[in-house]
């Protein structure tokens, strides 16, 4: 492993994104617009403020989905374009490649999270008890998790079609079980236990903790679980990426 | 003679097919070795073995005295894949700068390699907007970074005009004269005459191995294409 090579990969991925300003704008703007849409939808509803209840979970879900997809597509492109084969024939550790990706997409996620959190709290009046910046930190951890999972599963996808199918297979169940639709402790026993081993649940819990209370002890614990999953996915990704292919 | 590559009993299975079927060969330092044969005979597969990205390899393949694919070899081999393996959405310079950083070579190398493939004037153009021949030259430039000791070039001159092809072959010989081992594949037989030594391949086996002159003489004809055909007919 080498810091120089990891940074080279990250800088290259960012340069590619910079050449594609539309993707960059979509990446930053879409989550903000969706938060605004959510606010508007619940705006005139009487009773409890549903926006305050749902928004934190969405702040966790967006970066996860987006970075999962962006990573799957980018790595598949790298594979089919032959650049992966060339890189693997060079003195590049597999972890250099994976960490480079995680770093680049983590940085993008930081911009994305800062904007989405800024819009939600600044303009849409999201009520947050804990420190607002911590929402962005959880967003970044979550995006890195999405990237790590995308890197891991892309080892199993031979075609773009397969890669896209991993999204409903691996991401949608996590959204259903993360506590957004039904609180996690109100789920049937088995589903609750499944939800306990899915990383997105911890990211959503962390966001909800920040929004709902000013004590941050639980947040750091949940954040650590998310980070742990991300590291595990990166390690699995490195283990499943083969230098030699058939 | 000093050999960059020594292979014995090399066999490779891809899918359910045995693609390389028991090859013994060497690639000497200081020469341009041509790997020639019809489409699908296994040229790219052999090159993938040498750079260490091919799975299901049996037999022994030593590169500079170490098993092919060893970590220490990765910075000593320049590899040109058959399809241009560069980033379409980056400029020529950005592509070379990235690979130079991965290889840990000096940025000055970038200009040298661009000049070598005659792309000096296009450095800031995005690869997507280049012609096919220009793209393949970027691909070649990447393999020249850091003056590798072994160059594995998979059809590097396909789609290029005669003038440029000529100048690239001159460069390959200059690299060999400077002490590199150069292995170039082609399915165009008229490039054979430009090689110091030839490996003629068909269906995963070598049907001839020697200098162009020796191969022609043995077959009793005066061009390599005829020699190839006559050896194939003789083998039937
Ligand atoms: N990924 C793969 N899986 C299974 N078989 C493969 C794969 N890639 C190539 N083959 C088979 O291996 C054989 C040799 O392929 P290879 O690419 O080495 O040929 P080649 O000599 O380089 O041909 P060309 O001149 O067309 O590039 C072919 O018959 C091909 O069908
Ligand atoms: Mg080929």
């Amino acid at each position: 492993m080498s810091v120089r090579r990891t940074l080279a990969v990250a800088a290259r991925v960012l340069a590619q994104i910079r050449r594609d300003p539309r993707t960059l704008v979509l990446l930053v703007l879409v989550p903000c617009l969706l938060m605004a849409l959510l606010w508007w939808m619940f705006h005139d509803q009487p009773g409890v403020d549903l926006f305050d209840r749902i928004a934190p979970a969405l702040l966790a879900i967006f970066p996860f989905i987006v970075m999962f997809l962006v990573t799957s597509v980018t790595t598949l492109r790298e594979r089919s374009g032959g650049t992966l084969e060339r890189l693997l024939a060079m003195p590049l550790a597999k972890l250099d490649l994976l960490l480079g990706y995680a770093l680049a997409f983590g940085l993008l996620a930081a911009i994305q999270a800062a904007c989405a959190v800024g819009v939600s709290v600044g303009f849409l009046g999201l009520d947050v008890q804990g420190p607002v910046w911590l929402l962005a930190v959880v967003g970044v951890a979550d995006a890195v998790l999405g990237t790590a999972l995308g890197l891991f599963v892309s080892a199993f996808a031979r075609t773009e079609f397969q890669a896209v199918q991993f999204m409903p297979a691996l991401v949608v169940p996590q959204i259903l079980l993360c506590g957004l639709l039904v609180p996690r402790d109100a789920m049937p026993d088995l589903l609750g236990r499944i939800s306990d081993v899915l990383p997105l649940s911890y990211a959503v819990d962390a966001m909800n903790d920040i929004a709902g209370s000013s004590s941050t002890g639980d947040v750091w614990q949940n954040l650590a679980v998310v980070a742990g999953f991300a590291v595990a996915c990166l390690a699995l990704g490195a283990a499943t990426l083969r230098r030699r292919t058939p | 003679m000093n050999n960059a590559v020594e292979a014995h009993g090399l066999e490779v299975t891809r899918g359910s097919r045995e693609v390389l079927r028991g090859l013994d060969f060497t690639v000497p330092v200081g020469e341009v070795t041509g790997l020639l044969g019809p489409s699908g005979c296994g040229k790219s597969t052999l090159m993938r073995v040498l750079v260490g990205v091919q799975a299901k390899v049996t037999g022994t393949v030593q590169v500079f005295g170490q098993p092919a694919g060893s970590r220490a070899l990765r910075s000593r081999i320049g590899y040109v894949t058959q399809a241009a393996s560069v980033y379409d959405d980056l400029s020529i310079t950005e592509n070379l700068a990235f690979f130079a950083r991965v290889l840990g070579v000096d940025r000055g190398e970038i200009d040298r390699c661009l000049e070598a493939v005659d792309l000096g004037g296009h450095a800031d153009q995005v690869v997507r907007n280049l012609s096919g021949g220009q793209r393949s030259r970027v691909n070649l430039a990447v393999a020249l970074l850091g003056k590798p000791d072994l160059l594995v070039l998979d059809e590097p001159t396909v789609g290029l005009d005669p003038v440029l092809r000529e100048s690239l072959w001159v460069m390959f010989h200059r690299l060999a004269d400077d002490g590199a081992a150069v292995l170039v594949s082609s399915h165009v037989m008229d490039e054979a005459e430009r090689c110091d030594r030839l490996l003629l391949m068909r269906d995963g086996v070598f049907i001839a191995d020697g200098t162009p002159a020796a191969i022609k003489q043995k077959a009793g004809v005066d061009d390599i294409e005829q020699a190839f055909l006559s050896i194939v007919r003789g083998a039937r």
Side-chain angles (χ1 to χ4, degrees):
Chain A
M1 257 180 67
S2 121
V3 175
R4 185 193 74 234
R5 296 191 179 113
T6 303
L7 291 178
V9 171
R12 189 262 299 170
V13 173
L14 289 174
Q16 284 180 291
I17 303 259
R18 209 177 52 229
R19 293 254 167 201
D20 185 3
R22 193 176 301 175
T23 295
L24 196 56
V25 169
L26 285 172
L27 220 54
V28 172
L29 222 55
V30 169
C32 298
L33 290 176
L34 288 174
M35 294 310 288
L37 179 67
L38 188 75
W39 172 85
W40 194 12
M41 202 166 73
F42 290 129
H43 184 52
D44 290 332
Q45 297 286 317
V48 285
D49 194 337
L50 280 170
F51 177 69
D52 275 352
R53 196 176 85 69
I54 292 177
L58 285 183
L59 285 175
I61 291 171
F62 288 147
F64 181 65
I65 300 179
V66 172
M67 292 306 163
F68 176 85
L69 279 179
V70 171
T71 307
S72 307
V73 171
T74 323
T75 39
L76 221 76
R77 226 167 44 164
E78 183 119 60
R79 197 184 294 272
S80 56
T83 46
L84 185 64
E85 176 169 320
R86 164 166 257 162
L87 283 173
L88 291 178
M90 285 184 173
L92 179 84
K94 291 183 277 183
L95 261 184
D96 290 339
L97 187 71
L98 301 193
L99 289 178
Y101 267 103
L103 192 61
F105 290 134
L107 270 173
L108 280 181
I111 303 172
Q112 189 191 46
C115 293
V117 168
V119 167
S120 305
V121 177
F123 292 106
L124 306 175
L126 175 66
D127 201 13
V128 182
Q129 304 295 318
V132 172
W133 59 269
L134 206 48
L135 288 174
V137 172
V138 176
V140 172
D142 208 20
V144 172
L145 174 70
T147 294
L149 192 62
L151 286 168
F152 172 46
V153 302
S154 66
F156 301 100
R158 290 275 163 266
T159 65
E160 283 85 348
F161 290 132
Q162 292 175 10
V164 172
Q165 288 309 312
F166 278 122
M167 152 95 188
L170 292 175
V171 174
V172 173
Q174 297 202 49
I175 297 175
L176 293 179
L177 296 176
C178 73
L180 172 70
L181 302 174
V182 175
R184 292 214 291 139
D185 42 19
M187 280 180 201
D189 216 31
L190 179 62
L191 293 186
R193 254 179 286 157
I194 294 177
S195 135
D196 283 344
V197 295
L198 298 177
L200 188 63
S201 311
Y202 294 88
V204 169
D205 280 356
M207 290 289 195
N208 283 331
D209 287 344
I210 300 168
S213 108
S214 54
S215 81
T216 55
D218 286 351
V219 177
W220 291 111
Q221 209 172 347
N222 286 322
L223 197 57
V225 175
V226 173
F229 270 106
V231 170
C233 282
L234 284 175
L236 283 172
T240 48
L241 181 66
R242 295 266 85 102
R243 256 181 221 279
R244 293 176 181 271
T245 50
Chain B
M1 197 189 302
N2 196 352
N3 286 325
V5 179
E6 290 184 9
H8 298 287
L10 166 61
E11 292 180 3
V12 173
T13 312
R14 299 187 84 166
S16 54
R17 276 198 58 206
E18 208 184 322
V19 173
L20 300 184
R21 302 180 293 149
L23 302 181
D24 298 289
F25 65 98
T26 58
V27 177
V29 164
E31 286 189 5
V32 177
T33 304
L35 175 61
L36 271 78
S39 177
C41 71
K43 302 182 295 294
S44 298
T45 307
L46 187 154
M47 296 192 143
R48 281 168 44 84
V49 171
L50 298 187
V51 301
V53 296
Q54 178 63 51
K56 296 203 182 154
V57 179
T58 54
T60 59
V61 185
Q62 300 273 334
V63 180
F64 297 118
Q66 300 190 43
S70 300
R71 184 190 301 250
L73 293 172
R74 289 188 201 131
S75 54
R76 300 182 65 186
I77 304 180
Y79 175 37
V80 166
T81 45
Q82 185 164 4
S85 303
V86 287
Y87 298 98
D88 273 349
D89 40 6
L90 296 182
S91 73
I92 298 181
T93 314
E94 286 169 333
N95 265 290
L96 271 95
F98 167 62
F99 288 112
R101 283 179 75 190
V102 169
L103 291 167
V105 304
D106 199 66
R107 277 191 73 97
E109 276 286 283
I110 298 171
D111 291 331
R112 187 187 68 81
C113 295
L114 281 182
E115 289 305 327
V117 298
D118 196 23
L119 275 177
H122 299 266
D124 291 324
Q125 228 166 309
V126 175
V127 170
R128 183 183 288 121
N129 304 332
L130 297 177
S131 73
Q134 288 170 330
R135 273 173 65 100
S136 66
R137 279 185 280 155
V138 180
N139 198 32
L140 179 56
V142 174
L144 300 177
L145 287 168
K147 302 210 172 93
D149 300 320
L150 169 62
L151 281 149
V152 178
L153 313 177
D154 202 351
E155 312 212 4
T157 58
V158 167
L160 302 182
D161 61 88
V163 179
L164 198 60
R165 254 179 29 193
E166 166 75 26
S167 77
L168 289 182
W169 277 99
V170 169
M171 178 179 78
F172 298 157
H173 281 282
R174 207 179 52 232
L175 292 168
D177 291 343
D178 289 347
V182 184
L183 180 67
V184 186
S185 79
S186 177
H187 62 259
V188 193
M189 293 292 168
D190 58 3
E191 301 213 287
E193 301 285 353
R194 299 180 178 278
C195 303
D196 299 317
R197 224 181 98 243
L198 291 178
L199 298 164
L200 291 192
M201 189 188 236
R202 182 169 183 264
D203 275 344
V205 292
F206 289 136
I207 56 172
D209 176 350
T211 63
I215 290 176
K216 284 185 292 190
Q217 195 192 12
K218 198 166 162 213
V221 291
D222 50 20
D223 86 70
I224 290 290
E225 187 146 358
Q226 288 304 321
F228 187 87
L229 292 172
S230 110
I231 297 169
V232 168
R233 270 188 228 111
R236 283 214 186 112

